[in-house]
Amino acid sequence: MIKKVGIIGGGTMGSGIAQVAATAGCSVKLYDTKTEALEKAKADLEKIMDHLVEKGKINSEEKQRIQNNIKYVNSLKELKDSDLTIEAIVENLDIKKNVFSTLEKFVSDDCIIASNTSSLSIASIASSLQKPERCIGIHFFNPAPLMKLVEVIPAVQTSEETLKISVKTITDWGKIVAVAKDTPGFIVNRVARPFYGEALRIYEEGIASFAEIDTAMKEIGGFRMGPFELMDFIGNDVNYTVTETVFEAFYYDPRYKPSFTQKRFAEAGYLGRKSGKGYYNYS
Ligand code: NAD
């Protein structure tokens, strides 16, 4: 039984995953190196909870219970009593490996150490651990509290026990699990690459504007968001990095070639909603 959950990274994904685990009754510790990130995560949760109370989805006791289930911590060591940790920090292999090997020194031998990576190799992340069989990919989608699907990705080193407990835990949290092999982009992010890439190419070839492409995909394709709205929602920095990783991991297969437009937007800080400007203006 997973009761104590440690989340590493209190940004978009980490804060959402913390909410999911806390709502399911787990005692959660949310760790980030930046105090501002923790303060934002706490303030955002308060707003979300108030909104859910207003809509009658939860009552004020439930709101209190969920909020009390999350502690905001600024030291990795505080996660030492976790049954499960889920890492949601920057999409960088070396940084993730570093955090994993440090974390392993604090936690018990049977703590599961998971990554929410969108595209990196779980086998490679697991190789940073003394006990790589406890490592697994648990990939939530954004926004984590609303998106039902979670991909669970066992690495070649992952034990059956780690996989079984992970699938059960995520299912108990009310999610739908798709188990996928440890390959670049897993299922959804691989299928989604051409969705973003082709939309960017259509724009770059001067065929249509961001808004026209988005409208076409929503009206005809039946998508809830167009590709540019979705990239702004995810963050152009995060989305670009995932494309770059998938492209490299598939030995530079042109099907996954990243776009210069997106690269320049990310470099300029036009990250999307989180920075107030991306393909659209949000301020
Ligand atoms: P984000 O930039 O919103 O948040 C990352 C957080 O990690 C920041 O608050 C940062 O301060 C913190 N951080 C960075 N290095 C740290 C460290 N060494 N220790 C502790 N905290 C650290 O990023 P995000 O969008 O939440 O993405 C996090 C992970 O989740 C990435 O691996 C990403 O690929 C994956 N992911 C993102 C999405 C998405 O739509 N944004 C969806 C699924 C998976």
Side-chain angles (χ1 to χ4, degrees):
M1 269 291 274
I2 301 290
K3 290 195 173 145
K4 294 183 177 170
V5 178
I7 309 284
I8 306 154
T12 311
M13 294 309 293
S15 56
I17 299 167
Q19 185 191 327
V20 172
T23 304
C26 293
S27 159
V28 178
K29 284 184 184 160
L30 181 61
Y31 161 67
D32 200 293
T33 42
K34 289 192 187 145
T35 313
E36 315 87 80
L38 294 175
E39 281 165 1
K40 183 176 184 308
K42 196 172 182 182
D44 286 352
L45 182 68
E46 173 83 32
K47 275 189 227 146
I48 294 167
M49 292 290 115
D50 284 342
H51 182 67
L52 291 177
V53 171
E54 260 168 46
K55 284 177 83 182
K57 300 244 175 182
I58 55 170
N59 59 36
S60 45
E61 285 90 68
E62 281 168 316
K63 167 188 149 118
Q64 216 48 62
R65 179 184 65 80
I66 294 166
Q67 284 177 296
N68 289 345
N69 278 348
I70 307 182
K71 284 203 170 59
Y72 299 83
V73 300
N74 57 12
S75 158
L76 192 59
K77 211 171 181 176
E78 296 256 13
L79 270 50
K80 64 179 186 302
D81 58 352
S82 305
D83 304 312
L84 164 69
T85 62
I86 305 176
E87 163 278 314
I89 65 168
V90 59
E91 186 78 339
N92 176 299
L93 185 60
D94 291 335
I95 299 176
K96 285 191 197 283
K97 284 171 90 166
N98 204 306
V99 167
F100 272 53
S101 60
T102 310
L103 175 73
E104 193 177 33
K105 294 184 190 127
F106 306 131
V107 294
S108 72
D109 274 0
D110 46 9
C111 171
I112 294 176
I113 302 184
S115 175
N116 186 55
T117 179
S118 306
S119 58
L120 297 171
S121 149
I122 307 298
S124 186
I125 296 174
S127 72
S128 63
L129 297 177
Q130 298 291 324
K131 281 171 66 72
E133 61 276 17
R134 59 157 91 201
C135 186
I136 194 158
I138 299 184
H139 182 225
F140 286 80
F141 293 86
N142 186 13
L146 297 182
M147 302 299 274
K148 279 267 182 196
L149 184 74
V150 176
E151 292 173 331
V152 173
I153 306 105
V156 282
Q157 304 101 312
T158 309
S159 68
E160 275 300 320
E161 184 72 359
T162 301
L163 175 61
K164 218 170 81 187
I165 297 171
S166 302
V167 170
K168 181 175 183 331
T169 302
I170 301 305
T171 309
D172 288 348
W173 291 359
K175 299 296 185 188
I176 294 165
V177 169
V179 176
K181 284 198 176 147
D182 182 20
T183 50
F186 317 126
I187 305 169
V188 175
N189 267 309
R190 179 162 165 190
V191 173
R193 280 319 98 196
F195 179 68
Y196 306 119
E198 217 44 50
L200 282 155
R201 273 186 280 277
I202 288 170
Y203 166 76
E204 284 163 0
E205 287 168 21
I207 293 165
S209 67
F210 304 141
E212 282 163 338
I213 299 166
D214 278 348
T215 302
M217 293 315 293
K218 285 189 289 187
E219 289 304 319
I220 302 296
F223 290 93
R224 248 187 275 168
M225 283 191 218
F228 295 96
E229 288 168 326
L230 200 48
M231 286 184 278
D232 271 358
F233 183 71
I234 291 164
N236 271 305
D237 49 345
V238 174
N239 192 268
Y240 178 80
T241 308
V242 173
T243 307
E244 205 178 27
T245 309
V246 172
F247 179 56
E248 282 169 18
F250 277 111
Y251 307 104
Y252 304 99
D253 184 331
R255 284 186 296 166
Y256 306 111
K257 197 172 169 196
S259 143
F260 279 119
T261 301
Q262 190 176 30
K263 185 168 199 277
R264 293 290 178 260
F265 268 52
E267 288 166 347
Y270 297 170
L271 307 182
R273 283 181 190 229
K274 64 183 171 186
S275 70
K277 181 172 169 48
Y279 302 108
Y280 300 96
N281 281 320
Y282 299 93
S283 43

